[in-house]
Amino acid sequence: MATLLHIDSSVFPHGASASRPVTDAFRRTWEEQHPQGTVIYRDLATDPVPHLTADAHLAGFSDPATHTPEQAAAFAARVALIEELEGADAVLIGAPMYNYSIPSTLKAWLDNVILAGRTFMAEDSKIKGTPVTIVASRGGSYAPGTPREDYEYVQTYLRAVLADTLGLDVDFIVPELTMAPQNPAMTELVPLYEASRERALEDATTKAKELTERLAA
């Protein structure tokens, strides 16, 4: 039975979020294809994981037998998150752009699961090659050729961390211009926003089905 690790990080609830409806569309299709499967869900906005502390960080580079009680507790919390990732056949992440970057809650999750000798720089890594679908929503457009292309740090960063560092198989769905309905200065871009939203929802369904077929092959 396939396991999907679904992570949302939008600070907004479903009705106001641009990324959550798209991750939901992917998840619904995934569940239809895997009726006996498992979905592990983490909403980092409502239930954030601890930011990396000195105890949690140092414990990752030392013998567990030498850990202080504080280091042992902090490291156990990291290991629990890593084990969730290691047990997933696929990962789904909602990663909206806030101030040109990812939410701090998602950064905290990444800092916890990136562990030298286990999730990277490890020949026996259990996560290498795991497919990850990222819904990278953003208020404007940062696509190649646009004026703000150089400010696109979400896909750039996540590709560097998830693909280049952890060896995961990363794919993106990018709903953009999501601020158009709220910003009067972007009114003329509303049709482009609507088209981007519909395309993202379609992509979510299509990619979930394609991933199901790929994992079953």
Side-chain angles (χ1 to χ4, degrees):
M1 295 186 291
T3 297
L4 175 69
L5 175 58
H6 175 187
I7 298 171
D8 276 325
S9 62
S10 172
V11 298
F12 297 104
H14 187 279
S17 170
S19 61
R20 290 181 187 270
V22 182
T23 58
D24 283 354
F26 184 103
R27 175 176 171 171
R28 283 195 305 270
T29 303
W30 173 275
E31 290 176 323
E32 290 169 0
Q33 304 295 316
H34 300 87
Q36 305 302 318
T38 300
V39 175
I40 299 172
Y41 181 59
R42 282 194 172 273
D43 188 335
L44 298 179
T46 61
D47 187 20
V49 303
H51 283 274
L52 198 64
T53 63
D55 285 332
H57 177 69
L58 293 174
F61 296 93
S62 59
D63 184 343
T66 68
H67 290 176
T68 66
E70 294 77 14
Q71 288 176 328
F75 191 61
R78 288 187 71 184
V79 170
L81 295 173
I82 291 170
E83 289 177 343
E84 281 186 352
L85 178 58
E86 290 176 334
D89 297 289
V91 181
L92 171 66
I93 300 176
M97 176 186 282
Y98 295 151
N99 298 318
Y100 307 120
S101 187
I102 62 173
S104 64
T105 51
L106 181 55
K107 178 64 163 59
W109 180 82
L110 289 167
D111 286 341
N112 276 280
V113 301
I114 297 172
L115 180 60
R118 181 157 181 174
T119 57
F120 83 104
M121 296 177 64
E123 293 183 1
D124 58 347
S125 170
K126 296 179 180 178
I127 67 171
K128 189 174 182 179
T130 301
V132 180
T133 304
I134 302 169
V135 178
S137 58
R138 52 204 192 190
S141 179
Y142 299 79
T146 62
R148 296 204 168 213
E149 176 184 358
D150 291 342
Y151 292 88
E152 198 298 294
Y153 300 118
V154 171
Q155 290 175 264
T156 302
Y157 171 73
L158 291 176
R159 190 178 290 110
V161 172
L162 297 175
D164 299 343
T165 301
L166 299 184
L168 304 178
D169 184 6
V170 175
D171 192 17
F172 287 97
I173 300 173
V174 186
E176 62 179 11
L177 300 170
T178 62
M179 286 299 296
Q182 287 80 40
N183 186 346
M186 298 176 66
T187 299
E188 64 180 17
L189 299 176
V190 168
L192 292 177
Y193 150 72
E194 293 175 342
S196 177
R197 178 189 60 190
E198 292 306 312
R199 185 166 53 252
L201 291 169
E202 292 173 2
D203 283 350
T205 299
T206 300
K207 290 178 182 293
K209 290 180 179 177
E210 290 175 348
L211 184 55
T212 294
E213 296 173 355
R214 172 181 155 192
L215 293 176

